[in-house]
Amino acid sequence: MGIIGWIVLGLIAGAIAKAILPGRQGGGLIITLILGVVGALLGGFIGSAIFGIGLEEFWSIQTWIVAILGAILVLVIYGFVTGRSRKA
């Protein structure tokens, strides 16, 4: 998958992760989308290292699941680091 594909996947995964996580995370939409790209890369790395599942093809369901889970992980870590409450 090319770099543009990684970026688009990460942006969409970040938006989906933001919709899945309850409450209000700080940082706004731009930070969330950037963290989504980082999360997609992290999810692909962890998925390939542990399970042998990585970010292989843009339209593969396993790619999307790994990217979204990575984005959720990064958003949760970002919430802990910034000290923001996840309460609505």
Side-chain angles (χ1 to χ4, degrees):
M1 186 164 40
I3 188 73
I4 300 297
W6 284 80
I7 292 171
V8 170
L9 176 68
L11 293 175
I12 296 170
I16 292 171
K18 177 84 167 185
I20 290 173
L21 286 177
R24 295 174 26 169
Q25 295 83 23
L29 184 64
I30 301 297
I31 295 297
T32 300
L33 296 177
I34 291 170
L35 292 174
V37 173
V38 171
L41 294 173
L42 178 67
F45 176 74
I46 291 172
S48 65
I50 295 175
F51 304 112
I53 301 171
L55 301 176
E56 298 170 5
E57 203 173 302
F58 187 80
W59 296 112
S60 172
I61 189 71
Q62 73 183 19
T63 297
W64 284 93
I65 291 171
V66 167
I68 291 169
L69 290 176
I72 289 172
L73 178 67
V74 169
L75 285 176
V76 167
I77 291 170
Y78 177 76
F80 284 132
V81 168
T82 59
R84 303 243 179 192
S85 173
R86 291 186 7 179
K87 295 179 183 177

